[in-house]
Amino acid sequence: LVALKNFDWKQAGRDGHGQRLWQRRNVPLADGIASLPNFVGTLKKIGYQGIYSLHNEYKGSHSFQVLDTDGCLRQTTEDFKFVKPLV
């Protein structure tokens, strides 16, 4: 099983020394730092034929937006549309 998710970094203030702090947050598959087309392409090259799972964790403060259940389902649909042609 390969769980597909993506993330980016959000500025989170500074520490007591003035160093910028960063917080990871889950974002839509098409919007994150990881290149999912390259990742899935590499899996295909090595012969992976297993399951792909969408792990969309869009509820809570670790998300790009705090979505309710309906919003999470809508975003999951968008993520599926993005990833389907890749696999």
Side-chain angles (χ1 to χ4, degrees):
L1 174 96
V2 171
L4 296 174
K5 55 174 101 174
N6 218 331
F7 74 98
D8 70 5
W9 294 104
K10 174 184 172 183
Q11 293 182 20
R14 295 189 180 270
D15 69 13
H17 303 283
Q19 174 70 49
R20 184 178 306 270
L21 299 172
W22 295 92
Q23 177 183 8
R24 184 189 62 79
R25 64 183 180 171
N26 296 328
V27 298
L29 294 182
D31 296 344
I33 291 171
S35 174
L36 293 182
N38 288 339
F39 176 68
V40 172
T42 298
L43 289 174
K44 286 181 177 182
K45 284 181 187 175
I46 64 171
Y48 180 76
Q49 296 179 357
I51 296 169
Y52 291 91
S53 175
L54 295 180
H55 281 225
N56 297 336
E57 299 165 4
Y58 298 133
K59 291 186 175 185
S61 62
H62 60 276
S63 177
F64 75 108
Q65 291 179 341
V66 179
L67 300 177
D68 61 11
T69 299
D70 288 337
C72 192
L73 290 171
R74 282 191 297 276
Q75 185 56 57
T76 300
T77 299
E78 292 303 311
D79 286 346
F80 182 73
K81 288 177 187 176
F82 171 75
V83 80
K84 186 177 179 183
L86 303 177
V87 299

